Amino acid sequence: MIERAEKKMPEAQLVEWDMADGLPPAFDGLFFDCIVSTYALHHLEDSDKWSFLKQLLKRLAPEGTLLIGDIAFRTKKDRQACRNEYANVWDGDEAYVVFDELEAALSNIAKCEFKAHSHCGAVIQLRPECPFCHPVYDAEQRIVFETANCWFLQHEKAQGVLEGSGVIVPKQHRSSPFELTPQEWQETQELLGLVKPFLEKIAPDGYTLGWNVGEASNQSIGHSHLHVIPRFNDEPYAGKGLRHWLKKPENRRPGQGRDER
């Protein structure tokens, strides 16, 4: 098949690879406007599908799209109905895509759309949406330091008030620090060790470090990010830390007892 493709597309870079092993090294550092998968994903189990798709999403250029053409169904009920109707030809060794399950696995990092083209065939379109999964998409986002699994990022818009501030994020999408792997924790610590001498150039008088987790904590981006904020004695809010507003009496929950701390 590769030989036939080479004759039709002599300038194309063609790679033979087992996608069960992830992406081939030949694609390292490359980004694409569009990635198309046709009748391939059903050879992977669901957990391997979602992992592979997350890798593909990271290879999309800004405004890029991932298109999947395959045997696919919107719901498990639809898949089961098709299996019942075509039991004599159904291949039980293949894991056909259920869109609802795909969307549940990827909706926090990509916009997912489903369009059926037959009783068992569909095109699924994925567009990345998480800014921390794809910092290169934002011209104002700067990757200051990088390890194998994490970044320290500084965004230009944040520098006006929070001079020197940035975030440490895992490259893989983690909703909160509670999901970080031991390796990601280690590399977060490594980045903190790089960030502090880097920020000492602006001579801060202190630092505020912390995560927001969940809507109640005002986590505005559902990708774990450790805020690293230099603090200065001449700030209007100097001396006020993470708990300053949270521990005020007016923040007491209804029915909560008295707390003098």
Side-chain angles (χ1 to χ4, degrees):
M1 187 176 292
I2 290 286
E3 293 178 357
R4 293 176 62 185
E6 285 175 340
K7 293 178 182 179
K8 294 184 177 181
M9 301 179 293
E11 298 182 4
Q13 180 183 4
L14 304 174
V15 179
E16 186 172 358
W17 185 260
D18 186 348
M19 64 183 181
D21 296 325
L23 292 177
F27 292 165
D28 288 352
L30 299 179
F31 296 90
F32 305 91
D33 295 321
C34 185
I35 297 175
V36 179
S37 169
T38 56
Y39 292 98
L41 284 181
H42 61 261
H43 294 294
L44 297 176
E45 294 300 323
D46 286 349
S47 60
D48 295 327
K49 284 189 190 73
W50 315 150
S51 176
F52 185 64
L53 289 173
K54 288 176 182 178
Q55 294 179 58
L56 289 179
L57 286 166
K58 286 186 174 294
R59 293 299 179 189
L60 288 173
E63 307 300 324
T65 299
L66 170 55
L67 295 171
I68 304 163
D70 213 320
I71 299 172
F73 305 88
R74 182 173 290 278
T75 67
K76 289 181 70 173
K77 183 178 179 181
D78 293 339
R79 184 176 64 182
Q80 187 60 47
C82 186
R83 181 171 188 164
N84 293 342
E85 184 175 354
Y86 297 96
N88 60 322
V89 293
W90 188 270
D91 190 340
D93 293 330
E94 297 184 343
Y96 301 127
V97 176
V98 172
F99 176 74
D100 284 355
E101 295 175 349
L102 177 149
E103 187 175 36
L106 302 177
S107 62
N108 56 353
I109 61 173
K111 182 178 181 180
C112 309
E113 298 178 359
F114 178 92
K115 185 175 182 180
H117 287 270
S118 72
H119 65 283
C120 65
V123 172
I124 297 171
Q125 185 173 27
L126 305 179
R127 296 189 183 93
E129 288 195 320
C130 176
F132 290 153
C133 283
H134 306 275
V136 295
Y137 287 8
D138 188 341
E140 295 186 283
Q141 186 78 270
R142 186 162 70 104
I143 300 174
V144 182
F145 295 113
E146 179 177 3
T147 61
N149 297 286
C150 297
W151 288 300
F152 173 65
L153 309 173
Q154 284 186 324
H155 200 284
E156 185 61 34
K157 289 182 179 178
Q159 303 309 308
V161 175
L162 301 176
E163 181 184 1
S165 66
V167 291
I168 294 176
V169 303
K171 294 179 180 179
Q172 291 298 316
H173 191 91
R174 312 289 185 205
S175 297
S176 80
F178 298 112
E179 299 176 4
L180 296 182
T181 65
Q183 185 62 36
E184 288 164 343
W185 276 111
Q186 179 179 328
E187 294 182 26
T188 296
Q189 184 180 24
E190 291 175 12
L191 285 174
L192 281 172
L194 295 173
V195 168
K196 188 173 187 296
F198 172 73
L199 294 177
E200 291 298 311
K201 299 173 185 178
I202 59 175
D205 300 299
Y207 294 89
T208 292
L209 308 178
W211 287 272
N212 292 319
V213 180
E215 186 176 347
S217 185
N218 193 36
Q219 182 181 6
S220 58
I221 298 174
H223 184 135
S224 175
H225 50 287
L226 170 61
H227 291 277
V228 182
I229 306 173
R231 302 295 303 274
F232 301 89
N233 287 332
D234 59 354
E235 294 176 29
Y237 291 150
K240 296 176 174 59
L242 287 172
R243 298 178 65 235
H244 174 75
W245 290 274
L246 299 178
K247 65 183 181 181
K248 287 183 175 296
E250 53 265 33
N251 193 44
R252 182 176 286 116
R253 294 169 54 210
Q256 187 180 30
R258 186 177 180 82
D259 186 353
E260 297 294 346
R261 288 177 297 174

